[in-house]
Amino acid sequence: MDALKQKFFQKSSAIKQEIKELLAQNGNVLVDEVKLNQVFGGSRDIITMLWEPSLLDAQEGIRFRGYSLPELGEKLPKGKGKEPLPEGLFWLMLVDEIPTEAEVEWLSDEWERRSKVPAHVFKVLETLPAHTHPMTQFSIGINAMQTESHFARRYSEGMNKNDYWDAVYEDTMDLIARLPVLAAYIYRKTYHGGDHIKADRSLDWAANLAHMLGVSKSDDFKNFMRLYMTIHADHEGGNASAHTMNLIGSTLSDPYLAFAGCMNSLAGPLHGLANQEVIHWIFQMLNKLETRNPTKEQIASYVESTLAGGKVVPGYGHAVLRKPDPRFIEQMRFAKEYCPDDEIVNVVWKVYEVVPPILQGLGKVKNPWPNVDAHSGAILVHYGLDQYSFYTVLFGVSRAMGVLAATCWSRALGMPLERPKSVTLDWVKNFLAEKQA
Ligand code: HAX
């Protein structure tokens, strides 16, 4: 058993026991109450799930095992690069420890060792029409890889429930290892006529993805990919994609099937697809205004026309956050260092000055500030990755780390089938009538 797996087993066994004792004493303690507004309003804020890798604070933003993004920037190993390695974040999310440089190097090698995608997956992708959206291809590719699931095979052979964590750990490691290869294959197939680039075994996980995409040979792009993969990795458990993962996983569907579902959820424009929508919206605006350097007044009038058209301003707002997203700020920090003069990056910064007061003025938007998706596209365009339909795939590769780490925990802790309660409108009316009586 590898050292990470052993560490995870020891920690999760101890915490399983701790939870048992905690619930024996406190199982009936009330942690929340549900209002009708929440029943009709997308279940906002209702506490219903345990999710170990990260926790989101409405004001502060995301913390991974207690660490903010700037803190992670200081503490996580950086290997040969200048930004924290996502391998280190995965280690932290899984076992709640900041790894050493040597541990992270081991994980890079381990993922490289597990990275072979079976040939039939590529064959399946080749049968799809050329215009198939990259997220659809990604989801189909993940489903096609399910033939390799340790969990599915061992379950069908009668696996003991005490061993679920072991099979899920193996699937987690394989899947994370293979996703960059799958993503790069989809990118090169869709936009570069199938001119694929071989992995560079000397590179870490994110840098190798940057290499296989083949849009820029610069070390800066590798650094951006390391940062990108780190900041998108997890956003607690209630967001749509993570929750989908949790829900599907709770049926003991294997991690491949659950992760494909997770990606289908990420592919919605109110969620992960917003990163594609943002850059699409920016280029539409620049084309309409026939300038690459719009004034704030021009941007404001374009925002107004978006709203008047009954559409949302992509990249702005959030279901939980009430401040500018620290993931946006981290990307801004990167862009200020690496590409401060890029014209699209500068448009993103100008949009940041213009949009919040307009959304605030509507009086209904709870969070007028930018989210993670408002910035990423401009930096990708800077490095030559301007096929924005591909952007959510990159988000998905990163998100695998958080949701799969959480799935390891769910199976190790023996979490049951997820099954919240729904009601009908008649039920609500009767409930209110009885309450009044
Ligand atoms: N532009 C215009 N209107 C917006 C808005 C925006 N960016 N954000 C919210 N609103 C509107 C809502 O559509 C809603 O209007 P109605 O009452 O007319 O339906 C009203 O303001 C209240 O919404 P809210 O409570 O502030 O926001 P929600 O929790 O309902 O929704 C969303 C959160 C992220 C879906 C929303 O802010 C939005 O649509 N933003 C734009 C799309 C986007 O950037 N999504 C990515 C979010 C982050 C993420 O998941 N990344 O992957």
Side-chain angles (χ1 to χ4, degrees):
M1 192 186 295
D2 69 60
L4 178 61
K5 190 172 179 181
Q6 202 163 3
K7 224 181 248 282
F8 173 66
F9 180 58
Q10 280 162 357
K11 295 222 167 188
S12 57
S13 304
I15 289 197
K16 189 175 183 184
Q17 184 56 27
E18 193 184 336
I19 291 177
K20 204 171 163 191
E21 287 161 19
L22 182 145
L23 288 180
Q25 289 198 358
N26 306 290
N28 289 323
V29 172
L30 210 63
V31 289
D32 215 342
E33 56 180 15
V34 180
K35 301 191 186 89
L36 264 188
N37 275 337
Q38 292 169 295
V39 174
F40 285 81
S43 304
R44 292 288 179 286
D45 298 332
I46 306 172
I47 299 172
T48 63
M49 215 189 298
L50 187 79
W51 191 270
E52 288 292 84
S54 69
L55 185 64
L56 181 58
D57 179 88
Q59 307 298 325
E60 277 196 344
I62 194 67
R63 279 184 181 269
F64 296 88
R65 296 285 189 176
Y67 295 104
S68 68
L69 286 176
E71 285 165 355
L72 288 181
E74 280 171 26
K75 290 189 189 301
L76 285 181
K78 297 196 171 70
K80 292 175 192 152
K82 289 188 180 163
E83 295 292 334
L85 293 183
E87 285 90 329
L89 179 62
F90 175 76
W91 187 290
L92 174 68
M93 287 192 291
L94 190 70
V95 293
D96 195 13
E97 279 176 23
I98 299 272
T100 62
E101 289 279 354
E103 284 168 333
V104 155
E105 206 176 309
W106 170 82
L107 191 50
S108 287
D109 290 346
E110 181 66 13
W111 283 351
E112 196 277 315
R113 187 181 71 76
R114 292 173 180 255
S115 65
K116 190 166 170 45
V117 173
H120 74 265
V121 175
F122 301 131
K123 281 192 197 146
V124 167
L125 294 177
E126 293 301 336
T127 65
L128 297 171
H131 65 272
T132 309
H133 191 281
M135 273 307 271
T136 311
Q137 298 189 49
F138 195 48
S139 171
I140 289 170
I142 295 158
N143 270 314
M145 277 201 287
Q146 189 265 353
T147 50
E148 311 306 296
S149 170
H150 297 271
F151 189 91
R153 179 179 50 76
R154 287 169 62 178
Y155 192 89
S156 73
E157 291 166 0
M159 172 168 51
N160 185 310
K161 65 181 178 182
N162 292 327
D163 294 333
Y164 290 170
W165 73 272
D166 184 309
V168 169
Y169 175 87
E170 293 300 326
D171 280 350
T172 291
M173 295 288 275
D174 285 351
L175 240 174
I176 296 174
R178 290 166 182 168
L179 290 174
V181 178
L182 176 64
Y185 186 92
I186 291 167
Y187 178 73
R188 301 295 302 180
K189 162 189 175 285
T190 310
Y191 306 108
H192 293 277
D195 179 15
H196 297 290
I197 297 170
K198 278 217 165 78
D200 179 343
R201 296 180 190 288
S202 70
L203 292 172
D204 54 84
W205 183 75
N208 193 28
L209 171 57
H211 160 75
M212 289 186 290
L213 292 172
V215 291
S216 163
K217 289 194 189 316
S218 76
D219 283 343
D220 294 356
F221 181 53
K222 292 187 179 71
N223 277 323
F224 181 58
M225 216 24 75
R226 291 172 181 128
L227 175 70
Y228 185 107
M229 290 294 140
T230 301
I231 62 175
H232 286 81
D234 203 38
H235 218 224
E236 75 169 32
N239 68 80
S241 53
H243 187 193
T244 308
M245 183 85 190
N246 200 61
L247 175 65
I248 303 180
S250 83
T251 71
L252 300 186
S253 203
D254 64 69
Y256 288 81
L257 296 179
F259 186 62
C262 170
M263 290 299 96
N264 292 342
S265 179
L266 192 73
L270 294 188
H271 192 15
L273 203 83
N275 60 9
Q276 149 184 333
E277 296 296 290
V278 166
I279 207 75
H280 182 52
W281 181 84
I282 285 178
F283 277 114
Q284 273 189 330
M285 171 174 74
L286 299 182
N287 286 343
K288 184 157 185 239
L289 300 174
E290 296 178 346
T291 174
R292 294 236 153 183
N293 186 18
T295 63
K296 286 187 198 167
E297 291 69 29
Q298 284 177 309
I299 295 175
S301 115
Y302 193 77
V303 170
E304 299 288 1
S305 71
T306 300
L307 295 172
K311 291 175 276 185
V312 293
V313 180
Y316 283 76
H318 200 274
V320 179
L321 280 169
R322 295 296 174 255
K323 286 272 171 67
D325 191 333
R327 301 170 299 173
F328 176 89
I329 304 295
E330 274 298 303
Q331 294 177 87
M332 199 166 172
R333 188 244 333 137
F334 183 94
K336 283 192 168 152
E337 188 178 342
Y338 291 93
C339 48
D341 301 323
D342 183 282
E343 49 188 14
I344 306 300
V345 164
N346 277 274
V347 173
V348 165
W349 294 344
K350 231 183 250 181
V351 171
Y352 177 29
E353 289 178 52
V354 172
V355 168
I358 298 179
L359 291 183
Q360 254 155 353
L362 295 178
K364 64 173 183 179
V365 181
K366 295 195 191 67
N367 176 41
W369 301 109
N371 58 56
V372 65
D373 300 314
H375 209 313
S376 52
I379 305 179
L380 291 171
V381 169
H382 175 78
Y383 289 114
L385 211 168
D386 57 3
Q387 299 90 352
Y388 41 75
S389 302
F390 183 71
Y391 290 177
T392 314
V393 173
L394 290 178
F395 192 155
V397 173
S398 167
R399 188 46 63 95
M401 289 185 289
V403 298
L404 284 161
T407 305
C408 287
W409 275 94
S410 295
R411 297 293 78 77
L413 299 178
M415 289 298 178
L417 182 77
E418 213 190 307
R419 184 32 170 116
K421 176 88 187 107
S422 68
V423 290
T424 62
L425 185 56
D426 274 347
W427 183 96
V428 171
K429 287 180 188 164
N430 288 337
F431 174 81
L432 291 173
E434 273 174 31
K435 213 173 159 65
Q436 262 176 357

